[in-house]
Amino acid sequence: MLLLGLTGSIGMGKTTAANRFRARGIPVVDADAIVHNLYEGDAVPLIEATFPGVTGNDKVDRGKLAQAILDDPTGFKKLERIVHPLVQAAERRELGAAHATGAQRAVLEIPLLFETGGDARVDVTVVVSASADVQRARVMQRPGMTAAKFDAILARQMPDAEKRRRADFVVDTGVCVEASERQIDAIIGALSGRIGQAYAKFWA
């Protein structure tokens, strides 16, 4: 099974790209969706113990957690130490399920793929990218987003230019959706018949 690592900075169009891979019959393991489930499950008591007062009704209050991280210079690292092992365990389960169905390819959608060294555990990296102006315009439309919060998120992410440099493939999402989808289709075609090694080495 060939593993593709799909990544890109906030607001760059990962969801649109992931949906195209799904439409082409390729399973996508979404790290953000896994985190969302963990924030209503296994991660709740661990996060509450580290950041008291950020949970309620058996789930993490994302707004309170975001503020707690902003207030603590080491907060993001603390959160990573809690969440990353749980996320990887869930990713392993989902990839195993895809492999069991005979999938020839699968996508790992991970926002911080390069930042966490995740690119070493996939066969191919795909980066979605758009101009800084397009990125900011998209992100600032999100509910609850502020300039300070956006800048804090960017500070934790590798610069887009560096991600593009490291990528095996780059998808320009600053164009219309159809044009982005054609780029993804071309990537799928280019990888036809390619054999992967990362799943057996890191995930099986």
Side-chain angles (χ1 to χ4, degrees):
M1 187 167 71
L2 184 73
L3 288 189
L4 287 70
L6 173 64
T7 193
S9 298
I10 184 173
M12 290 299 198
K14 290 183 293 298
T15 299
T16 298
N19 286 340
R20 185 58 178 178
F21 281 112
R22 289 190 184 96
R24 292 294 307 275
I26 299 173
V28 176
V29 178
D30 182 349
D32 274 350
I34 290 172
V35 170
H36 180 80
N37 290 334
L38 289 171
Y39 279 11
E40 296 183 358
D42 292 347
V44 174
L46 302 174
I47 290 175
E48 177 63 27
T50 304
F51 304 99
V54 303
T55 68
N57 298 321
D58 297 320
K59 62 183 179 180
V60 173
D61 184 317
R62 286 175 171 264
K64 290 180 180 179
L65 178 60
Q67 189 59 54
I69 291 172
L70 286 174
D71 292 342
D72 181 353
T74 64
F76 192 71
K77 289 295 183 183
K78 291 176 181 175
L79 182 63
E80 282 184 332
R81 286 195 291 270
I82 295 169
V83 174
H84 281 183
L86 297 174
V87 170
Q88 283 199 11
E91 288 170 340
R92 181 171 283 105
R93 289 193 296 271
E94 291 193 27
L95 288 175
H99 186 262
T101 66
Q104 298 300 303
R105 290 168 289 197
V107 173
L108 273 169
E109 182 187 350
I110 304 177
L112 298 177
L113 181 75
F114 292 115
E115 291 87 341
T116 59
D119 55 311
R121 297 187 293 275
V122 298
D123 297 297
V124 177
T125 55
V126 180
V127 166
V128 291
S129 179
S131 71
D133 288 343
V134 169
Q135 178 190 27
R136 181 172 288 273
R138 288 173 177 170
V139 175
M140 293 308 296
Q141 291 177 2
R142 298 184 179 186
M145 184 58 64
T146 65
K149 189 180 294 186
F150 177 48
D151 290 340
I153 292 170
L154 284 183
R156 294 198 303 269
Q157 297 186 339
M158 183 181 291
D160 179 57
E162 178 63 12
K163 289 182 179 179
R164 293 172 65 100
R165 188 187 70 78
R166 294 191 184 195
D168 294 307
F169 296 95
V170 176
V171 177
D172 178 5
T173 62
V175 292
C176 65
V177 172
E178 291 78 11
S180 296
E181 290 178 343
R182 286 195 294 271
Q183 294 173 63
I184 292 168
D185 290 347
I187 292 170
I188 294 171
L191 295 173
S192 178
R194 181 165 168 179
I195 304 300
Q197 300 178 347
Y199 175 73
K201 187 174 182 180
F202 298 106
W203 301 96

